[in-house]
Amino acid sequence: MSEVRTARTYNQRHIPRKYTPDGRRVSVYVSWSYPAEAGRNAAELDNRFSTMTEVRRVAWPAYEDPKWSDPYRFQQGIAGSLELFFWAWAPFQDFVEEVTGHPVPVYQRIDQAGFHTPLDGRVLDDTDVLFVFGLDHMITGQEAQPGEIEALRGFLGRDDARLVLGPHHDVGASDDLSVREVEYRHHGDPLVPRQQRFATYVRDLMKGLGVPVINRYGLRPATGEGNRIAPLSTIPDLDEKGWLNGVTNFNFHMHLPHYAVTTDEPKAVHVLARQPIDTSRPHPFTEDGNAEFNMFLWMPPGGDRAADVLLADSTIFSTLFGADDSLRNFWRNLVT
């Protein structure tokens, strides 16, 4: 990827991109309210992102460079850890721009300045591939409105459109505190609390669009030599469009959601890739006999929906958790 040589800008309106036959226009929609997430009380233990100070303490000395640790240069509260997401999405944006020839805007449902951007024509009209990152904590109440679901249904009526949904994990959903503790010990990330439930917004979209999937748990993937994430278990016979061509693995993240299929209709949604679980750490899901969880799903066109719907966790597009040729092949497959 070429080095970015232009200055950063902020507080400007998106300039619509013109359609080109040889390059899809990709957009990212982050379902959170930035003020609601950044404004959470850091004294509350559950259902919030870490402060930057907590990140520095746990990851020491990775973020002790002044560009991260100097409070005059980088925010040290929850807002600081939110900004790490934007830093880590930038390589994905750059890669996709090189592949497609179009810049990749990142919209927030409610941004730092309080501007509310619902998922409507302003986002969808110049978009061919839409990623929705479900990173809103349930406690913040980001509910998809009927008009947004209708706008997205219209978008999915285009045969050149594509929707990638990425609801994040649902850790600690049980009311039993001992079960929450088992889940916490399983994923092993001290920055994730005993309860961290995400993705009201994407769950609303899935319900409204008839996507028979729900995000469950936060499962730790198995690893192999060099602590690399274990290869995916794939089903090539179902991968008719080659979404996983050249893809053997995603990136390692300590708590990934299981995308549970909620229908018995075998052709409604295809599980194309499963991720082996670290079974050395107990979890209710593995105690039920599961050794893998659903990682990547495809819902083929059907009825009045001409577009593909795919499910893949938002962390797969964040370089906070690494990126290799296999992952970049996956990015390319989704946007071309």
Side-chain angles (χ1 to χ4, degrees), residues 18-298:
K18 293 182 178 180
Y19 170 81
T20 58
D22 56 350
R24 290 175 177 264
R25 297 162 297 178
V26 178
S27 299
V28 174
Y29 187 85
V30 185
S31 63
W32 64 31
S33 163
Y34 189 104
E37 302 293 351
R40 293 279 288 135
N41 182 359
E44 296 284 342
L45 295 181
D46 292 333
N47 294 305
R48 67 169 177 85
F49 288 107
S50 307
T51 66
M52 188 62 194
T53 301
E54 291 167 327
V55 171
R56 287 175 50 212
R57 181 174 63 231
V58 168
W60 191 92
Y63 291 100
E64 291 311 291
D65 188 289
K67 73 177 182 179
W68 310 115
S69 62
D70 183 349
Y72 286 1
R73 295 177 58 182
F74 199 82
Q75 300 180 80
Q76 297 301 298
I78 293 174
S81 66
L82 296 184
E83 293 303 327
L84 290 180
F85 283 88
F86 293 105
W87 279 78
W89 288 325
F92 171 68
Q93 292 172 263
D94 291 343
F95 179 85
V96 171
E97 181 173 359
E98 287 201 357
V99 169
T100 66
H102 293 289
V104 180
V106 174
Y107 301 96
Q108 299 175 77
R109 185 160 179 76
I110 303 178
D111 72 7
Q112 289 89 331
F115 286 99
H116 178 211
T117 302
L119 196 53
D120 59 19
R122 292 172 297 172
V123 175
L124 299 173
D125 285 352
D126 79 324
T127 297
D128 304 310
V129 183
L130 176 67
F131 291 79
V132 183
F133 292 167
L135 289 166
D136 57 296
H137 280 89
M138 292 184 181
I139 200 169
T140 67
Q142 303 306 308
E143 298 177 351
Q145 298 304 304
E148 295 178 281
I149 294 170
E150 284 305 309
L152 199 49
R153 186 173 287 116
F155 171 77
L156 294 174
R158 294 167 38 191
D159 59 11
D160 63 341
R162 185 173 300 159
L163 174 63
V164 184
L165 298 172
H168 201 28
H169 64 238
D170 186 9
V171 168
S174 173
D175 291 330
D176 187 332
L177 300 188
S178 64
V179 173
R180 292 188 194 178
E181 179 66 6
V182 170
E183 290 189 39
Y184 176 80
R185 296 296 174 185
H186 169 79
H187 66 67
D189 185 350
L191 289 172
V192 169
R194 266 65 174 183
Q195 185 180 76
Q196 191 175 42
R197 307 194 66 191
F198 282 107
T200 295
Y201 184 80
V202 178
R203 284 187 173 192
D204 285 352
L205 293 184
M206 291 191 294
K207 182 178 179 180
L209 296 171
V211 178
V213 176
I214 192 164
N215 54 314
R216 299 286 194 200
Y217 305 121
L219 296 158
R220 186 183 182 101
T223 55
E225 186 177 351
N227 206 36
R228 284 179 56 84
I229 190 169
L232 295 163
S233 295
T234 61
I235 308 174
D237 290 347
L238 295 178
D239 190 8
E240 299 172 6
K241 296 194 175 182
W243 306 112
L244 293 172
N245 286 350
V247 179
T248 56
N249 59 270
F250 294 146
N251 49 2
F252 177 77
H253 186 61
M254 284 186 276
H255 25 81
L256 290 165
H258 166 56
Y259 288 151
V261 177
T262 59
T263 180
D264 294 327
E265 171 52 52
K267 295 184 179 180
V269 58
H270 299 311
V271 178
L272 299 185
R274 294 185 175 93
Q275 182 66 55
I277 305 170
D278 183 345
T279 55
S280 70
R281 301 162 178 255
H283 189 281
F285 188 65
T286 58
E287 289 172 0
D288 285 340
N290 298 289
E292 299 177 326
F293 61 91
N294 297 344
M295 185 74 164
F296 176 55
L297 286 69
W298 169 46

